[in-house]
Amino acid sequence: MLRRVHRGFFVFFTVLVLFGASQACAQTAQNPARLEVDLREAPKHIFHAKLGLPVSVGPLTVVYPKWIPGEHSPTGPIVDLVGLKITAGGKEVPWRRDDVEMYAFHVDVPAGVDTLNLSYDYLSPAEPTGSRERPSSTAKLAVLNWYMVTLYPLGPKTDDLTYVAKLRLPAGWKYGTALPVAKESPEAIEFAPVSLTTLIDSPVISGMYLRHIDLSPGQAPPHTVHVAADGSAPLEATPVEVQHLRQLVAETGALFGARHYRRYDFLLTLSDRMPPDGVEHHESSDNRTEEAYFLDPELFESSELLSHEFTHSWNGKYRRPAGLATTDYQTPMKGELLWVYEGLTQYYGIMLAARSGMMPPRMFREYLASTTAYLNDRPGRTWRDLQDTATATQILYSTPPEGSSWRRSVDFYDEGTLIWLEADTVIRKQTGDKKSLDDFCRRFYGGENTPPKVVPYTFEDVVEGLNEIAPYDWRTFFTERLKSHGPGAPLGGLENSGWKLVFTDTQNEYEHVNELSTQDIELQFSLGVLLHAPGGEDSDHILDVIPGSPAANAGLAPGMRLIAVNGRKWAPDILRDALRQAKTSKDPIELLAENGDFFETYRIDYHGGERYPHLEPISGKTDLLSEIAKTRAPAVPLPTNY
Ligand SMILES: [Zn+2]
């Protein structure tokens, strides 16, 4: 009910201000907005900005970007826009925040004024916060997303607003971006005039320790990874890693057959001071992961981050669900087709990681086993279908882990993977192995090479596109899976591709790597708990308890803190050992837990031992999964110099 009321207000408000806004905005390509950003205090987590906005006399509404592309949510960090002052001809011009829409500021442009000068700061969080807002700088690097430091007049399409940006960096810092540079001096980088859409779609990575690696030497368009870290050692990618990254570029060529960018720049931040994340752009991507990404082979081999974000250039940026193809950053987005936007990207993210050699076949199968198992076990699917996880995206990204098996989260990523795998196997079956999902991609996302542009699509377009490759009742295929309340996840693709989910007492390798970086201990398939290991902020915390599991039946609940296992201070190894001991014992496992100010011992009558998910071949069935994950493009040689 609250959301309906809010939306009503929003539409009313937008209609009201549009009329006024279009009158006082005087921005044209010949008379662009001029934005100057100063990152010299980025190590202190403050970004300074000045904006010269061409205007004409009358009422004007300027807005701070609210709906952030790629985040599919109203996550523009308005709370950290501070110090706003507006002047014209040296005199202060008063502003008034809209009393309903917090992202809007109303101004009356005085007579005789043709430019408003706005100055303001953006406060980047120094540490991760509870919201989706991420730290954007450390002492030695910064990632500038222009939406954090941009205001714009409400009314025109952002395609029609021209911005000229200038950037100052701390002394000695280098940078990388897909944004075209007009000129560069030791003082500042001046970028070429671009639309506000292109500006916001082109973040800049910068830092004291930064290197550029060419990922398609001698070829057009150019592909580069710009790596920034908090020191120089993490920048040392091995020849094999660079070879795999170059193979990734080649594999996307083989898959899509066309590119829709003038250049592609992977911005890669390797820092343990920033939470791992990835946001896609048309000609670049903002990728953040562990400092040891290039140094620890397990981290590199278990990550589909770069292949996922790269896939988005085709699926998400070039072709975009109609509900997400908005013309400014204030119009609400509709996430209903995110199972295509993110689901198909997740599928090809791991397939391309496998095809390029980044993710070895063993790790690839462990990844699939892990995601399949948790989805299959979600009791939340009895009330929330997959479609609702997409429709409700804007409220699901920042949900806490407590209760997530009952709430469900943005499951359209991983469950999308299973559904698209099944679609792939159906196409192969229907066409007698003559066609595959790759053919759909080539037709739907490929075509001619073009500069960045957006071609929206609907559910009908997806159904039609698949029918052109393999006639089938695709409407029913997707509707059944999107509206299903279980039991279990859609496992048809796994089965059709020759594999089944099994559980053994050997830890899943993908989950093992994940555990090392997150300290999250996955015992979901035995006791039914997910907990955080001792140490750090969430120390000893029970993150989730699966309803109906042995732990839930014994009375444990998310939010409690684990203190002791069978009378001994708990640690992950102690708990795992207790699981092994209980296999041959009739005694329950005793867990002492703290619930607020109270302590209680919970007796779990569980004797099944450790259980971790893996994939096992189905005997007599063709291994289609390995065939789908096979390299397509000619092999890229091992580089000797890069
Ligand atoms: Zn994505």
Side-chain angles (χ1 to χ4, degrees):
M1 184 173 152
L2 262 179
R3 275 170 56 222
R4 258 175 60 207
V5 169
H6 178 76
R7 188 173 300 157
F9 269 125
F10 190 93
V11 171
F12 176 65
F13 158 77
T14 305
V15 170
L16 258 188
V17 295
L18 269 179
F19 182 69
S22 56
Q23 305 213 354
C25 165
Q27 230 182 297
T28 61
Q30 292 71 37
N31 192 16
R34 296 187 181 276
L35 176 64
E36 287 183 38
V37 178
D38 185 345
L39 288 187
R40 284 177 296 170
E41 290 203 290
K44 293 197 274 179
H45 313 293
I46 182 162
F47 298 6
H48 304 290
K50 285 184 181 152
L51 176 65
L53 207 57
V55 290
S56 54
V57 64
L60 172 75
T61 300
V62 292
V63 287
Y64 187 65
K66 180 176 185 176
W67 286 80
I68 306 304
E71 296 194 357
H72 323 309
S73 309
T75 42
I78 184 68
V79 72
D80 286 319
L81 174 78
V82 301
L84 176 63
K85 290 240 174 207
I86 305 181
T87 60
K91 282 196 192 143
E92 189 156 347
V93 178
W95 55 264
R96 179 178 61 81
R97 191 188 298 264
D98 190 85
D99 50 11
V100 173
E101 177 47 77
M102 296 294 107
Y103 288 73
F105 303 91
H106 302 298
V107 177
D108 274 315
V109 179
V113 166
D114 59 8
T115 304
L116 282 184
N117 297 304
L118 298 89
S119 69
Y120 45 90
D121 294 330
Y122 167 71
L123 299 176
S124 171
E127 299 287 337
T129 61
S131 72
R132 276 206 81 202
E133 191 182 358
R134 307 161 292 166
S136 287
S137 64
T138 72
K140 302 295 176 195
L141 61 86
V143 181
L144 174 65
N145 272 291
W146 297 97
Y147 68 75
M148 300 184 303
V149 288
T150 301
L151 288 158
Y152 70 100
L154 184 67
K157 293 177 180 173
T158 57
D159 278 352
D160 297 335
L161 292 173
T162 304
Y163 274 62
V164 176
K166 196 170 166 181
L167 177 63
R168 290 198 75 160
L169 297 174
W173 281 30
K174 291 175 265 193
Y175 74 97
T177 180
L179 195 62
V181 174
K183 62 178 176 190
E184 213 175 320
S185 72
E187 276 71 49
I189 307 143
E190 282 181 46
F191 296 99
V194 290
S195 70
L196 180 59
T197 311
T198 300
L199 182 73
I200 289 198
D201 195 43
S202 312
V204 182
I205 191 171
S206 63
M208 179 175 283
Y209 306 101
L210 187 143
R211 70 179 292 204
H212 317 279
I213 303 173
D214 190 344
L215 294 186
S216 53
Q219 290 171 40
H223 296 78
T224 312
V225 59
H226 310 275
V227 196
D230 290 319
S232 55
L235 307 179
E236 295 307 313
T238 65
V240 171
E241 286 165 342
V242 174
Q243 180 187 32
H244 291 326
L245 289 172
R246 287 180 177 174
Q247 188 72 38
L248 171 64
V249 173
E251 289 300 328
T252 53
L255 173 60
F256 297 109
R259 303 185 188 276
H260 306 288
Y261 46 78
R262 297 160 294 184
R263 53 186 283 174
Y264 192 88
D265 298 86
F266 292 93
L267 317 184
L268 178 58
T269 306
L270 304 181
S271 172
D272 294 335
R273 305 296 306 167
M274 288 189 182
D277 204 354
V279 177
E280 61 277 19
H281 298 283
H282 222 124
E283 301 186 286
S284 63
S285 47
D286 172 2
N287 309 278
R288 307 171 186 200
T289 190
E290 284 95 342
E291 190 167 304
Y293 176 72
F294 284 132
L295 305 178
D296 178 349
E298 278 193 329
L299 285 179
F300 187 86
E301 290 176 359
S302 62
S303 175
E304 86 291 7
L305 173 67
L306 296 180
S307 48
H308 177 105
E309 301 307 339
F310 193 21
T311 302
H312 271 315
S313 180
W314 291 266
N315 181 29
K317 302 315 274 190
Y318 168 53
R319 298 299 315 258
R320 195 174 308 171
L324 295 174
T326 50
T327 54
D328 62 28
Y329 306 114
Q330 312 313 117
T331 306
M333 294 176 183
K334 293 179 183 167
E336 58 191 349
L337 284 176
L338 279 167
W339 55 275
V340 188
Y341 182 124
E342 293 294 358
L344 185 64
T345 299
Q346 190 71 12
Y347 177 67
Y348 273 106
I350 58 161
M351 284 306 167
L352 287 166
R355 289 178 187 182
S356 62
M358 296 174 77
M359 191 182 272
R362 180 193 72 252
M363 186 65 85
F364 164 74
R365 286 195 297 271
E366 291 283 84
Y367 169 93
L368 264 183
S370 172
T371 53
T372 305
Y374 97 79
L375 287 166
N376 203 33
D377 229 25
R378 297 273 101 165
R381 56 191 318 120
T382 58
W383 76 272
R384 171 172 259 160
D385 57 34
L386 187 67
Q387 180 59 67
D388 190 57
T389 69
T391 305
T393 305
Q394 55 173 296
I395 56 170
L396 287 181
Y397 270 115
S398 51
T399 51
E402 290 83 5
S404 63
S405 62
W406 181 227
R407 180 189 300 111
R408 297 193 83 177
S409 183
V410 285
D411 288 355
F412 49 83
Y413 285 80
D414 288 334
E415 199 154 319
T417 301
L418 300 186
I419 291 173
W420 285 106
L421 172 62
E422 189 170 3
D424 204 341
T425 62
V426 168
I427 295 172
R428 287 162 196 266
K429 190 168 174 220
Q430 294 297 109
T431 60
D433 278 329
K434 285 190 181 66
K435 296 274 171 70
S436 74
L437 194 61
D438 288 12
D439 294 285
F440 167 75
C441 284
R442 188 170 265 266
R443 184 172 294 203
F444 203 72
Y445 300 106
E448 299 290 311
N449 288 328
T450 68
K453 64 173 182 173
V454 181
V455 183
Y457 63 82
T458 61
F459 178 73
E460 295 305 316
D461 295 330
V462 175
V463 167
E464 212 173 283
L466 284 161
N467 271 324
E468 284 170 11
I469 304 301
Y472 192 69
D473 188 359
W474 291 108
R475 186 185 317 279
T476 307
F477 174 88
F478 288 117
T479 307
E480 277 178 2
R481 283 151 187 78
L482 288 164
K483 290 290 180 188
S484 166
H485 287 275
L491 302 183
L494 207 55
E495 199 185 316
N496 295 348
S497 63
W499 295 81
K500 64 180 176 194
L501 186 64
V502 296
F503 292 87
T504 75
D505 57 9
T506 307
Q507 193 178 13
N508 176 294
E509 208 172 319
Y510 178 79
E511 289 176 2
H512 173 70
V513 178
N514 197 44
E515 181 177 315
L516 293 178
S517 15
T518 62
Q519 298 300 305
D520 288 350
I521 315 297
E522 303 242 17
L523 297 173
Q524 300 183 69
F525 311 111
S526 47
L527 290 181
V529 288
L530 172 68
L531 26 81
H532 200 272
E537 225 175 88
D538 288 327
S539 171
D540 311 343
H541 199 81
I542 298 181
L543 296 171
D544 201 14
V545 178
I546 316 286
S549 67
N553 294 341
L556 283 159
M560 293 179 177
R561 281 177 190 278
L562 188 55
I563 307 292
V565 179
N566 292 336
R568 186 171 176 187
K569 185 178 173 182
W570 105 275
D573 287 348
I574 304 275
L575 182 55
R576 289 199 162 105
D577 190 45
L579 278 172
R580 287 191 287 271
Q581 300 296 331
K583 254 187 121 170
T584 53
S585 158
K586 289 201 168 57
D587 299 330
I589 301 166
E590 290 192 349
L591 299 186
L592 175 64
E594 182 188 336
N595 185 7
D597 293 340
F598 298 87
F599 294 85
E600 192 170 330
T601 297
Y602 298 88
R603 291 176 179 82
I604 309 181
D605 198 16
Y606 173 75
H607 306 279
E610 292 181 273
R611 288 179 83 240
Y612 303 104
H614 304 281
L615 295 190
E616 200 176 89
I618 301 172
S619 64
K621 272 208 140 176
T622 310
D623 176 9
L624 206 52
L625 190 61
S626 301
E627 172 60 33
I628 299 172
K630 243 178 22 197
T631 304
R632 301 286 194 275
V636 168
L638 191 69
T640 48
N641 194 16
Y642 52 89

